[in-house]
Amino acid sequence: MRLSQYPINTAKETPAEAEVLSHQLMLRAGLIRRVAAGLYSWLPIGLRTLRKAEAIIREEMNRAGALELLMPVVQPGELWQESGRWTAYGPELLRFKDRHERDFVAGPTHEEVITDIVRRDIKSYRQLPVNFYQVQTKFRDEIRPRYGVMRAREFIMKDAYSFHTDEASLQQGYRAMHDAYIRIFTRMGLDFRAVRADSGPIGGDVSQEFHVLAASGEDAIAFSDEDGYAANLEAAAALAPKDPRPAPREAMSEVTTPGARTIEELSRMLRVEPSRCVKTLLVDGSDQDVVAFVLRGDHELNAVKAQRLPGVALPLRMAGAERIARATGAETGFIGPVGLRCRIYADHSALALADFVCGANRKDMHLTGVNWERDVAGVTAADIRNVREGDPSPSGRGHLKIARGIEVGHIFQLGRKYSEPLKAAVLDESGKEVTLLMGCYGIGVTRVVAAAIEQNHDERGIIWPEPLAPFQVVLVPLNLQKSARVREVADRLYNELTAQGVEVLYDDRDARPGVKFADAELLGIPHRLVVADRGLDAGRLEYRHRRDSESTEFPADEAVEFIKSRMR
RNA sequence: CGGGGUGUAGCUCAGCCUGGUAGAGCGCUGCGUUUGGGACGCAGAUGCCGGAGGUUCAAAUCCUCUCACCCCGACCA
């Protein structure tokens, strides 16, 4: 593409509306334009990247045996009433009526439609398993769209749905998608993790999320530095310490600690490490009572784990001052497990302490030299804390690292959640009717593009992973308007590379060098080729990868081979 | 939906408190000089000051209502 014929409009200044870097860069580089809250147009250069992401996804879905189809954005309300989601989905589901006053929705997802297709067209177990997928625009009327294309109301999603007669086949189909997703994100050149998602009350290991690692990610994930273990922070198990608890050495004694309400203040006042202190949090119990959680001073309560325990009120709620006073006779900051008469859960690592410090259940008083069993009884051991960087991995290999991630994919075993109400069933070998098992598998295509930028940029702009770059090569001629020699070499290079299938962005604008360099870097094109009189005097051109800090020179007549060797 | 904030040129923003002829930088157009890191000079174009109502001799500025957008909290690819 000749830039002189494409009206790019890059901006030096950061648009005020954009908060995250990928959004800022996408606007500045002219990849997208906002139309309304959560609605974006994709301009030609941005669309090229979007199409590349889609192409990789299609290739890998097809390779995995999935069949592409296309379902409408607008769906009849009836189907949603049938599945029960007409009422269950909430205001995020955009509903409207047509001129005949019939209910319709703008599809946020397509389980209903695909299940409807399958129940009409699939009649026999012999036609199964199948996996249908599409790349389609979705609409979710988010309360608060933000971060540009990362959390838009309208977005493009690849969604796939598999159907099976038995559990083993579902497992197999799920596995195939898992492997396809690994190939997809690997091919896109992204640093990502497949993460165990909290499976919630349903239970079972049936859901995995795919996260692109990026400092600005919305989710915290924990992963092993030695094997493939990765989990949402909420879902990552904290192992009990291996070493046995040391024997008590100190006697328990009371100390005055005026005003020391936090572990930090306490630790400073008594000159004791926070990891030798214990904190006691009280939450509402499912009856009138409270439930106590005891954690090491340097650990944090994990609400998801805590609210799964018997006796805890749902959702998890910290106890109010009144209940605390009734249960302990003290106030927050001075609570401890000694003599506490309520259900007590202690985290494994708190239980591994000996001679620790805790609240005395009296204002401005703490206890030192406290020991389990000797001084505190009736405690239930549990995993109730967030894992921390450096904790041993629950997989048994390596230690945990914590990173932030952007969720770009989710695979899920749905079971009969939709096939049951929508009555999707076939006859099996024995002529018996079986309700189909279903899996669904999503990738946020538009979000992947934003996530790629979030992960790959510097102060000058985007640094595209090559498989997603809108162009592979940016050709920058200097003094093009005056130097016939530069024009001739640059034109020839553009034609030759283009003829060989290389995607070249040819900056033939009448602009100063600084402008061209700055735009090339903002746009993030991986390979830059500079044609200038200075180099041509010696018969040389200049090459620089977007990640390089220095340019390299090479003979001008080997340009095509040179650039192709760099692109491998 | 609750809380906070912003609407002025294509973009980033000043002006508003204390009412009196609409501003800057970037971008855009023309001409000239310049040409290896977002150049310089000269000349220009561009505004329903988000909208409606009110107060006033006079409103971008004060008041009321309204709309849009942004930010902080519960969902999700």
Side-chain angles (χ1 to χ4, degrees):
Chain A
M1 181 191 273
R2 287 175 180 264
L3 258 188
S4 61
Q5 284 158 44
Y6 172 62
I8 65 161
N9 189 8
T10 56
K12 266 183 269 193
E13 276 167 306
T14 303
E17 72 189 64
E19 197 197 356
V20 294
L21 249 142
S22 59
H23 190 196
Q24 294 172 357
L25 289 173
M26 287 178 89
L27 288 169
R28 283 184 52 205
L31 306 186
I32 56 168
R33 289 290 179 252
R34 197 182 70 93
V35 178
L39 304 177
Y40 291 87
S41 296
W42 287 75
L43 302 186
I45 294 180
L47 184 63
R48 290 181 72 104
T49 288
L50 190 60
R51 293 285 183 246
K52 293 212 166 176
E54 289 176 2
I56 292 171
I57 292 170
R58 282 200 169 90
E59 283 176 31
E60 293 302 334
M61 290 303 290
N62 294 342
R63 186 208 298 263
L67 304 168
E68 183 167 8
L69 48 60
L70 190 61
M71 294 178 272
V73 173
V74 174
Q75 306 175 15
E78 282 169 21
L79 274 178
W80 286 72
Q81 274 149 5
E82 207 178 336
S83 74
R85 286 161 112 192
W86 180 262
T87 43
Y89 214 93
E92 212 170 280
L93 180 65
L94 178 65
R95 299 148 215 250
F96 51 91
K97 289 179 190 294
D98 70 2
R99 61 166 74 189
H100 305 297
E101 291 291 304
R102 290 217 178 104
D103 286 319
F104 284 90
V105 306
T109 171
H110 284 72
E111 280 87 1
E112 281 80 1
V113 178
I114 192 72
T115 307
D116 184 52
I117 291 170
V118 166
R119 71 179 169 182
R120 290 164 191 271
D121 280 316
I122 305 285
K123 315 276 192 203
S124 160
Y125 74 94
R126 290 195 214 118
Q127 295 170 294
L128 294 173
V130 276
N131 184 328
F132 292 115
Y133 80 96
Q134 65 172 345
V135 178
Q136 177 63 294
T137 296
K138 311 278 186 184
F139 192 92
R140 292 183 190 169
D141 201 356
E142 295 264 355
I143 295 173
R144 193 151 92 80
R146 59 187 140 167
Y147 307 144
V149 119
M150 194 113 84
R151 183 175 291 259
R153 290 195 293 176
E154 188 182 291
F155 56 100
I156 296 173
M157 182 171 156
K158 185 287 298 173
D159 49 326
Y161 307 91
S162 68
F163 294 86
H164 314 265
T165 47
D166 61 72
E167 188 66 31
S169 169
L170 174 58
Q171 298 289 346
Q172 204 174 9
Y174 179 83
R175 188 77 218 163
M177 283 297 104
H178 172 272
D179 295 347
Y181 275 35
I182 301 250
R183 281 197 301 270
I184 287 167
F185 296 121
T186 303
R187 275 189 60 187
M188 287 178 178
L190 298 172
D191 187 11
F192 71 98
R193 292 289 183 284
V195 166
R196 280 171 216 214
D198 175 40
S199 46
I202 302 159
D205 182 22
V206 294
S207 170
Q208 272 171 298
E209 296 169 352
F210 288 77
H211 284 258
V212 168
L213 300 186
S216 57
E218 286 191 89
D219 303 304
I221 56 185
F223 60 96
S224 167
D225 56 6
E226 277 184 31
D227 64 14
Y229 176 87
N232 262 347
L233 187 71
E234 289 81 35
L239 296 185
K242 282 211 183 77
D243 298 334
R245 182 197 306 151
R249 293 166 59 187
E250 299 172 21
M252 183 167 80
S253 63
E254 222 172 22
V255 291
T256 60
T257 49
R261 290 173 177 279
T262 65
I263 291 291
E264 201 179 309
E265 287 162 353
L266 179 69
S267 144
R268 210 180 311 122
M269 191 176 291
L270 298 180
R271 293 175 204 286
V272 180
E273 291 297 313
S275 60
R276 304 281 327 270
C277 302
V278 136
K279 61 179 161 195
T280 306
L281 306 171
L282 298 182
V283 302
D284 286 351
S286 43
D287 46 27
Q288 285 302 88
D289 219 352
V290 296
V291 174
F293 291 116
V294 182
L295 291 150
R296 226 168 70 180
D298 56 336
H299 286 156
E300 272 177 17
L301 182 71
N302 178 312
V304 173
K305 293 176 182 176
Q307 78 188 9
R308 271 202 285 258
L309 294 169
V312 177
L314 290 173
L316 190 78
R317 243 182 350 258
M318 299 310 283
E322 228 173 272
R323 277 195 181 194
I324 291 175
R326 208 178 330 131
T328 68
E331 51 191 276
T332 55
F334 306 100
I335 300 165
V338 180
L340 196 59
R341 275 191 302 276
C342 67
R343 196 193 279 260
I344 302 175
Y345 291 107
D347 187 72
H348 298 297
S349 37
L351 279 174
L353 294 176
D355 303 321
F356 58 86
V357 177
C358 67
N361 296 323
R362 284 174 64 194
K363 189 172 183 336
D364 295 333
M365 300 295 274
H366 279 82
L367 298 170
T368 64
V370 184
N371 283 278
W372 298 107
E373 289 170 33
R374 188 190 72 185
D375 309 319
V376 196
V379 172
T380 309
D383 171 15
I384 50 171
R385 71 176 176 93
N386 283 335
V387 294
R388 290 198 314 179
E389 183 127 358
D391 281 352
S393 168
S395 61
R397 299 195 50 202
H399 292 82
L400 291 179
K401 284 190 175 303
I402 309 260
R404 301 204 69 84
I406 299 163
E407 186 187 351
V408 292
H410 200 161
I411 58 177
F412 212 95
Q413 295 182 21
L414 291 172
R416 300 190 176 85
K417 185 168 176 192
Y418 299 94
S419 51
E420 187 96 64
L422 291 169
K423 302 188 180 61
V426 298
L427 298 184
D428 69 7
E429 296 96 318
S430 57
K432 192 166 54 95
E433 190 175 81
V434 288
T435 300
L436 298 181
L437 289 167
M438 201 172 156
C440 81
Y441 319 93
I443 292 179
V445 186
T446 37
R447 182 183 277 187
V448 164
V449 173
I453 296 172
E454 211 59 54
Q455 185 179 78
N456 299 283
H457 63 265
D458 62 14
E459 63 290 342
R460 292 164 187 251
I462 302 167
I463 307 177
W464 285 115
E466 306 205 10
L468 295 179
F471 294 91
Q472 297 164 291
V473 173
V474 57
L475 182 59
V476 182
L478 302 185
N479 198 21
L480 181 73
Q481 319 303 322
K482 294 262 174 72
S483 169
R485 182 170 58 157
V486 167
R487 176 171 290 279
E488 192 214 309
V489 172
D491 278 356
R492 198 178 63 229
L493 252 172
Y494 175 64
N495 291 331
E496 282 177 16
L497 286 168
T498 304
Q500 300 224 16
V502 179
E503 297 167 305
V504 184
L505 183 66
Y506 182 14
D507 193 348
D508 59 342
R509 293 175 297 174
D510 181 12
R512 296 169 61 85
V515 174
K516 296 187 180 188
F517 291 146
D519 278 346
E521 282 154 355
L522 177 60
L523 282 169
I525 313 298
H527 305 279
R528 187 182 82 185
L529 219 41
V530 177
V531 181
D533 281 312
R534 199 172 75 183
L536 288 179
D537 289 339
R540 300 177 87 76
L541 298 177
E542 194 180 292
Y543 167 83
R544 185 149 156 185
H545 190 272
R546 179 66 178 78
R547 290 194 189 274
D548 293 343
S549 53
E550 301 278 317
S551 300
T552 53
E553 291 199 341
F554 64 92
D557 45 14
E558 297 168 12
V560 174
E561 302 81 75
F562 181 88
I563 205 77
K564 292 197 109 177
S565 73
R566 291 298 168 126
M567 278 167 36
R568 270 172 214 128

